[in-house]
Amino acid sequence: MAPTLSEVYGDHPLHLQHIIPIDFNSFRSLPDSHVWSQTSDDGLFSSSSLPSSSLPVIDLMDPNASELIGQACESWGAFQLTGHDIPMKLIDEVDSEARRLFALPADRKMKALRSPGGAAGYGVARISPFFPKNMWHEGFTIMGCSKDHAKELWPHDYQRFCETMEEYEKQMKDLSHHLVRMILNYLNIFKDEQVKWIGSTMESTALQLNSYPCCPEPNRAMGLAPHTDTSLITLLHQTQMISGLQIHKDGVGWVPVHPVSGAFVVNVGDLLHILSNGRFPSVLHRVTVNQTRQRFSVAYFYSPPADFTVSPQLSPKPLSSSPGGGEQVARYRSVMVEEYSGMKAKYYQKALSLIKNN
Ligand SMILES: C=C1C[C@]23C[C@H]1CC[C@H]2[C@@]12CCC[C@@](C)(C(=O)O1)[C@H]2[C@@H]3C(=O)O
Ligand SMILES: O=C(O)CCC(=O)C(=O)O
Ligand SMILES: [Fe+2]
């Protein structure tokens, strides 16, 4: 049986200092461990103000949706998706369960702490060991069933949480299938053996609840440090219309992604970047925090099964009309999902360069 992704993370155990968040409520000023810049006005978070630079919003019902999605993946590595049929009621329930979780006292949340070799549970972001400073962020990762952790949080009332998250993951999976089919079609990948994993039930998925508490000095703190997702695609919901997410666009800089009601931010992850032979950028993104409003987000990571080998898709003939496309030489070697995830856990942003062909 193929290993699951959570087992992959077990090969890279972390120290507790890289798992346990601080008790954010107990700080009136920013502790030095969380200071990312020395002055409050040096533009740590300055973002592009060009009016033309905003992430495309695409309606899934648009007859041209496939083409628009492919183009957005190519030029931005991301887009906002509306017109999907995920019920708003379900999204609101997930949001309120996430709030219920993060509102628990710090000692209660600690009962669901991620184990050093585990991937699921409460803790700081997995990427924390790769940065010299800590992030103003706490997360709860769900891989498979969340029952054991939820029972620790709410011994007599965990079912509501588990059922809501399960239903949401089911719906996210269906939507991911739909999007991935459109995207692979755009890349001319439709040979049976290349797409047989879609809907195979062995896909690697994870749900990440993010909380960014109110921060005493938001200009000197970092919500989530710049990173790319390991996934094929990520479907992110920013709840309560609070901004914070920024994505990096070459030649433009950091672009804020203001929440659109009911929309998902869909972004290309490393695995799709590799599969597209670099044609789709794996978009670098980060999160800022604010002083008065705690922000929450919910990210669903979708990847092929752990034992699936991702091979860069070469174009059959040069496409002179598309600048990023048409490459006939593989920029990366083929890599198994499991192997790449392990490399990312160990080497973080260097992982991509390690599989680059010269
Ligand atoms: C399935 C995944 C994807 C993970 C690791 C594992 C569980 C949690 C995910 C995140 C969520 C927060 C950003 C990130 C960068 C992190 O630190 O943890 C993500 C990471 C990745 O995309 O690599
Ligand atoms: O909170 C956000 O807007 C982004 C979260 C994110 O990038 C992640 O969970 O990978
Ligand atoms: Fe992310």
Side-chain angles (χ1 to χ4, degrees):
M1 176 133 159
T4 61
L5 275 194
S6 38
E7 288 166 46
V8 168
Y9 289 98
D11 294 340
H12 307 282
L14 299 175
H15 295 289
L16 283 178
Q17 87 220 44
H18 289 132
I19 302 177
I20 305 176
I22 57 167
D23 181 0
F24 296 97
N25 292 331
S26 65
F27 289 90
R28 302 248 166 270
S29 64
L30 201 63
D32 185 53
S33 54
H34 288 67
V35 175
W36 283 65
S37 82
Q38 292 313 312
T39 58
S40 58
D41 55 0
D42 68 351
L44 174 63
F45 293 115
S46 60
S47 57
S48 165
S49 52
L50 296 176
S52 61
S53 53
S54 91
L55 195 63
V57 180
I58 301 172
D59 183 342
L60 193 55
M61 293 298 139
D62 188 313
N64 287 326
S66 256
E67 193 65 19
L68 294 171
I69 287 174
Q71 285 164 1
C73 286
E74 205 155 359
S75 54
W76 289 83
F79 56 92
Q80 298 223 52
L81 183 76
T82 60
H84 54 76
D85 52 12
I86 311 294
M88 203 56 216
K89 183 166 172 286
L90 179 60
I91 298 176
D92 287 343
E93 278 166 9
V94 170
D95 178 31
S96 93
E97 286 302 299
R99 283 164 187 277
R100 183 160 81 107
L101 190 161
F102 292 116
L104 289 168
D107 59 346
R108 171 63 65 172
K109 290 185 276 194
M110 284 294 287
K111 292 193 184 301
L113 192 70
R114 242 174 28 223
S115 66
Y122 176 71
V124 305
R126 219 22 271 170
I127 52 174
S128 302
F130 299 99
F131 295 91
K133 293 294 182 146
N134 297 331
M135 301 166 212
W136 203 256
H137 164 272
E138 53 183 338
F140 186 82
T141 310
I142 301 172
M143 276 174 139
C145 181
S146 57
K147 193 163 135 198
D148 291 348
H149 281 131
K151 260 186 167 165
E152 295 291 334
L153 297 171
W154 304 284
H156 308 294
D157 182 20
Y158 59 89
Q159 247 152 339
R160 184 154 49 113
F161 179 85
C162 296
E163 283 165 12
T164 306
M165 297 304 152
E166 244 164 67
E167 177 59 22
Y168 186 72
E169 286 204 79
K170 211 167 110 221
Q171 302 256 355
M172 286 293 106
K173 193 178 237 188
D174 288 346
L175 181 55
S176 300
H177 290 160
H178 191 115
L179 291 170
V180 168
R181 283 210 176 86
M182 290 172 120
I183 289 170
L184 296 190
N185 256 320
Y186 184 87
L187 289 171
N188 288 321
I189 301 177
F190 32 60
K191 287 196 213 92
D192 279 356
E193 78 274 13
Q194 284 172 307
V195 295
K196 65 168 189 285
W197 48 271
I198 302 179
S200 70
T201 74
M202 290 302 291
E203 296 127 303
S204 319
T205 65
L207 194 65
Q208 168 83 9
L209 310 179
N210 294 306
S211 149
Y212 307 90
C214 299
C215 181
E217 294 174 72
N219 294 333
R220 303 168 76 203
M222 180 69 76
L224 204 52
H227 68 279
T228 63
D229 296 341
T230 309
S231 59
L232 195 68
I233 57 169
T234 302
L235 276 56
L236 177 91
H237 191 260
Q238 318 189 63
T239 71
Q240 302 295 314
M241 309 300 282
I242 303 175
S243 297
L245 175 64
Q246 299 182 336
I247 66 171
H248 195 269
K249 192 175 191 321
D250 277 350
V252 178
W254 290 104
V255 180
V257 182
H258 299 298
V260 169
S261 175
F264 289 99
V265 180
V266 180
N267 69 265
V268 172
D270 291 355
L271 293 171
L272 182 54
H273 173 74
I274 299 165
L275 189 69
S276 69
N277 198 26
R279 186 168 162 190
F280 293 170
S282 172
V283 72
L284 196 63
H285 52 288
R286 67 181 185 183
V287 178
T288 64
V289 289
N290 75 78
Q291 196 156 12
T292 51
R293 300 185 69 189
Q294 182 170 13
R295 180 175 177 273
F296 301 92
S297 73
V298 181
Y300 176 80
F301 302 95
Y302 177 88
S303 304
D307 63 351
F308 177 79
T309 301
V310 178
S311 303
Q313 168 74 7
L314 307 182
S315 295
K317 56 178 188 302
L319 301 171
S320 48
S321 59
S322 67
E327 237 179 294
Q328 288 175 291
V329 181
R331 286 172 59 179
Y332 300 100
R333 72 164 167 89
S334 299
V335 65
M336 232 193 252
V337 170
E338 174 200 0
E339 186 194 359
Y340 186 75
S341 303
M343 290 170 79
K344 191 80 185 282
K346 193 165 173 195
Y347 303 111
Y348 184 50
Q349 291 308 64
K350 289 202 184 78
L352 254 191
S353 64
L354 291 175
I355 59 159
K356 210 168 206 148
N357 287 329
N358 294 315

